[in-house]
Amino acid sequence: MYISKQISTLQPSATVAFTEKAKALKQSGRDVIVLAAGEPDFTPPASVREAVAKEALEGPTTYGPTPGYPEVREALAGYLERTKGLKVTPDRIVFTNGAKHAIFNAASVLLDPGDEVILPSPYWVTYMAVIELLGGVPRIVEGKSTNGFKITPDELRGAITDRTRCLIFNNPSNPSGAFYTADEVRAITEICVDAGVAIISDEVYDEITYGGGPFLSPAAVSDEAADLTALVGAFSKTYAMPGWRIGYLVGPQPWIGKVTSFQGQATHHPSALAQAAALACIRCEEDFVGMMLKEFRKRRDYLLEAVRGIPGFRVDVPPEGAFYLMVDASEAIAAVPDVSGDIEFAIWLLEEAEVGLVPGEVFGASGFLRISYAASMEDLEKAVDKITGALNKLGI
Ligand SMILES: Cc1ncc(COP(=O)(O)O)c(C=O)c1O
């Protein structure tokens, strides 16, 4: 069967590919610790599970409105006001099949072929794939490890041209764990507003932060900013339910109306069961995120110190958000014979240390490795021992 030119160069997600490779080795009987996945190792609150079960038994099974049920959009509008100080009417919200779908919708409705998209690196793998799929031109701005992987306002300003359509801004960041403070978000947003550059603001890790003050969405900076921001959110990370595929996109009218038409022709609304889950997350009385955060903080603190003790591994600035640690492994890579670059090193680590990590190259950060600490403390400790042991065996 013919494969279109547009799709022929598309690759599977590299993070998923590495996770699957590590899991396959584990299934073959090896004692592999997989720290590659981007999903919390927690179970969603009981009230959320019960709401989904109730919806399955008693809820409608007919088609619903493309952007999601009015009751759920209304509830999300209230939630966004409570948590982010945003005043949005429900007609500015479209529920999607996870944040990934929201990003694809937003980019599809924003980009013409040849449009430039500013992409701070290290970046989440899907952004690059989506830009390329839509014929956009990525303009990478490197977030330096010495600056906590954050780009500066001057670096952003320097990357804007008369062809720039949008900035993809992910705060807190996967893969780096970088967290932009409210002042930094304000500065970046104002530059975009002045230049008329839209912002796809991926906020899926918004509540998972360890310092740096309160989270600020670019959409909350000013009315002008809200009119230029496509806010992407989800319950996948904050409520530990990525498999239920529910996210959302918030944007100005009439732009969001076109998103609704696009989604209506492509996938229609997300499952009613997933929408019931979202509603239950919004109404959840338990401090579920706080509970996860406490655990994540313990693991981050442990891992940061332990990883800094591994020969040839370096972390310049502690991550302040999400559940990832980006490690500069260039010294270790150079010390291992017959290994060149972080991809080969990640494969070497999987085979020799039995630890599955994602190489930085796939995020546009050569020489680095991403460690996900969405894993038990026991696994983290074991992984550090195994990596240290494998390097020590070579006299490193
Ligand atoms: C930065 C970022 N955005 C979006 C997503 C996708 O979220 P969802 O599972 O809701 O599609 C991920 C998942 O890893 C992510 O890390």
Side-chain angles (χ1 to χ4, degrees):
M1 178 86 90
Y2 178 72
I3 296 171
S4 73
K5 290 188 185 65
Q6 189 194 17
I7 298 296
S8 61
T9 54
L10 191 66
Q11 295 298 317
S13 159
T15 45
V16 173
F18 263 89
T19 308
E20 279 171 5
K21 195 174 164 62
K23 281 184 178 167
L25 198 63
K26 193 180 167 101
Q27 268 155 16
S28 76
R30 301 270 300 270
D31 182 24
V32 176
I33 311 287
V34 187
L35 304 180
E39 52 190 354
D41 54 324
F42 294 90
T43 311
S47 62
V48 176
R49 291 180 157 255
E50 280 155 14
V52 175
K54 187 166 187 297
E55 183 71 17
L57 290 171
E58 298 169 18
T61 55
T62 49
Y63 289 125
T66 297
Y69 288 112
E71 183 195 5
V72 191
R73 280 184 288 146
E74 189 83 51
L76 183 68
Y79 177 80
L80 292 172
E81 179 160 11
R82 238 176 23 247
T83 55
K84 299 190 175 176
L86 285 172
K87 286 201 183 342
V88 290
T89 45
D91 67 341
R92 292 176 71 150
I93 293 170
V94 174
F95 273 95
T96 57
N97 293 298
K100 197 178 251 193
H101 184 206
I103 293 160
F104 188 71
N105 278 352
S108 301
V109 177
L110 262 175
L111 295 184
D112 286 321
D115 281 351
E116 289 180 8
V117 179
I118 297 179
L119 187 57
S121 73
Y123 47 78
W124 183 47
V125 284
T126 293
Y127 303 143
M128 184 59 97
V130 170
I131 296 167
E132 287 177 343
L133 195 59
L134 295 169
V137 180
R139 238 189 116 98
I140 310 291
V141 180
E142 185 194 347
K144 299 185 182 59
S145 67
T146 45
N147 193 38
F149 297 101
K150 294 189 272 194
I151 63 165
T152 65
D154 281 344
E155 286 164 347
L156 172 64
R157 213 178 276 113
I160 293 176
T161 71
D162 55 6
R163 307 200 63 175
T164 307
R165 178 70 62 205
C166 78
L167 161 72
I168 300 186
F169 187 59
N170 176 212
N171 187 35
S173 156
N174 173 9
S176 69
F179 176 52
Y180 289 80
T181 65
D183 282 347
E184 289 165 342
V185 170
R186 227 172 265 120
I188 279 177
T189 305
E190 279 160 9
I191 291 168
C192 289
V193 170
D194 286 347
V197 168
I199 304 173
I200 296 179
S201 177
D202 183 343
E203 305 180 6
V204 297
Y205 297 98
D206 54 0
E207 295 186 56
I208 306 176
T209 64
Y210 311 103
F215 173 89
L216 179 70
S217 167
V221 168
S222 63
D223 289 347
E224 292 82 358
D227 283 345
L228 273 175
T229 303
L231 188 162
V232 173
F235 297 94
S236 310
K237 313 290 177 179
T238 42
Y239 282 85
M241 38 178 256
W244 281 353
R245 311 306 302 130
I246 189 78
Y248 51 86
L249 183 59
V250 184
Q253 278 288 5
W255 184 82
I256 206 85
K258 274 292 175 221
V259 170
T260 307
S261 305
F262 178 66
Q263 176 161 301
Q265 297 293 7
T267 59
H268 207 2
H269 59 84
S271 159
L273 303 185
Q275 291 186 60
L279 187 59
C281 291
I282 292 167
R283 291 179 175 164
C284 182
E285 285 174 3
E286 181 185 325
D287 183 14
F288 183 74
V289 188
M291 176 279 294
M292 277 200 308
L293 204 52
K294 218 165 119 197
E295 281 303 309
F296 282 144
R297 182 187 293 278
K298 257 193 261 165
R299 298 171 189 181
R300 180 198 73 143
D301 292 350
Y302 160 73
L303 200 59
L304 185 60
E305 201 181 321
V307 158
R308 280 175 161 165
I310 297 177
F313 278 31
R314 205 181 81 206
V315 180
D316 287 323
V317 178
E320 294 285 8
F323 37 74
Y324 308 101
L325 183 66
M326 205 62 176
V327 179
D328 182 344
S330 39
E331 262 184 51
I333 296 169
V336 176
D338 304 323
V339 159
S340 158
D342 52 90
I343 294 185
E344 282 186 26
F345 185 61
I347 293 168
W348 180 85
L349 277 178
L350 183 58
E351 281 159 6
E352 302 300 320
E354 298 179 315
V355 177
L357 307 176
V358 184
E361 172 104 20
V362 307
F363 309 112
S366 300
F368 287 81
L369 296 170
R370 186 194 75 174
I371 307 179
S372 164
Y373 49 91
S376 70
M377 202 62 165
E378 192 191 341
D379 273 1
L380 295 177
E381 286 168 359
K382 233 169 127 181
V384 169
D385 286 349
K386 277 170 166 275
I387 296 170
T388 309
L391 289 166
N392 286 169
K393 244 199 229 168
L394 297 176
I396 300 165

